[in-house]
């Protein structure tokens, strides 16, 4: 299975336009490299350009993370999940859908397209996000939903700009009990789906 192609096809079936990867070096004085899937859409999020006719997009963006806020360089070689050069799969809504559909789409893709074992999935939400937790309860048992603080479940690109509470899905590799693992829990769990409401700027 080509996971990238399945991902893009899935979101095309949900009325998202497939958008080609932007340049690795963006036309943006604030960035040296393209370091996230949302970067090519930054002008839409900040309101500098109008929302496209179809307010839904999906892409596989080539990224480098070797400096700045999202610097993974120091973690390369120490974990099995950090890279400096990679493609980031993303689906984006420019003021169209929000948490309900974002969660539903992610769950459908992981459990129906990839057919991942539901019993190995865990979800985190921001500690203040009652709405996201209630939506997740439609898909997963409440005891598999964890509330975390800003360090883990608040997404931002910097001190200003798009930012908001986020939700993440983890795959349990089963090395030890998740509930007692605090400091190194990310080494046991693989975070593979980060739901970030990037169109919601605060």
């Amino acid at each position: 299975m080509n996971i990238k192609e399945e991902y893009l096809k899935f979101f095309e079936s949900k009325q998202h336009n497939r958008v080609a990867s932007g340049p690795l070096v963006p036309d943006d004085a604030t960035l040296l490299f393209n370091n996230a899937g949302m970067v090519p859409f930054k002008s839409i999020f900040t309101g500098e350009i109008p929302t496209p006719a179809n307010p839904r997009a999906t892409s596989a963006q080539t990224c480098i993370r070797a400096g700045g806020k999202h610097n993974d360089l120091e973690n390369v070689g120490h974990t099995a999940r950090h890279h400096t050069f990679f493609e980031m799969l993303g689906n984006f809504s420019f003021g169209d859908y929000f948490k309900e559909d974002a969660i539903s789409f992610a769950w459908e893709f992981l459990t129906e397209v990839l057919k991942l074992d539901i019993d190995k999935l865990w979800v985190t939400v921001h500690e203040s996000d009652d709405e996201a937790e209630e939506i997740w309860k439609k898909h997963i048992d409440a005891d598999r939903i964890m509330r975390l603080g800003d360090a883990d479940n608040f997404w931002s690109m910097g001190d200003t700009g798009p930012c908001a509470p986020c939700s993440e899905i983890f795959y349990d590799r089963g090395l030890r009990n998740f509930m007692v693992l605090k400091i190194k829990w990310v080494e046991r769990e693989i975070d593979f789906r980060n739901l970030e409401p990037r169109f919601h700027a605060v």
Side-chain angles (χ1 to χ4, degrees), residues 152-153 155 166-169 191-196 198:
D152 296 293
N153 279 110
W155 180 89
C166 64
S167 184
E168 298 180 321
I169 309 170
D191 163 20
F192 57 87
R193 191 77 183 96
N194 190 345
L195 306 177
E196 298 164 348
R198 294 170 171 153

Side-chain angles (χ1 to χ4, degrees), residues 19-57:
V19 178
S21 177
L24 196 55
V25 179
D27 182 18
D28 185 331
T30 68
L31 293 171
L32 180 60
F33 297 114
N34 202 322
N35 63 357
M38 63 79 65
V39 170
F41 306 110
K42 180 178 174 182
S43 296
I44 301 173
F45 292 125
T46 58
E48 295 173 47
I49 64 173
T51 299
N54 181 1
R56 300 182 179 197

Side-chain angles (χ1 to χ4, degrees), residues 154-190:
F154 192 89
W155 180 89
S156 67
M157 281 298 294
D159 294 335
T160 61
C163 61
C166 64
S167 184
E168 298 180 321
I169 309 170
F170 291 83
Y171 186 85
D172 184 351
R173 295 190 292 170
L175 297 180
R176 59 172 92 169
N177 190 306
F178 181 76
M179 298 306 292
V180 301
L181 196 58
K182 183 65 175 175
I183 297 173
K184 286 193 164 183
W185 67 286
V186 293
E187 294 309 304
R188 176 179 171 270
E189 311 289 318
I190 299 178

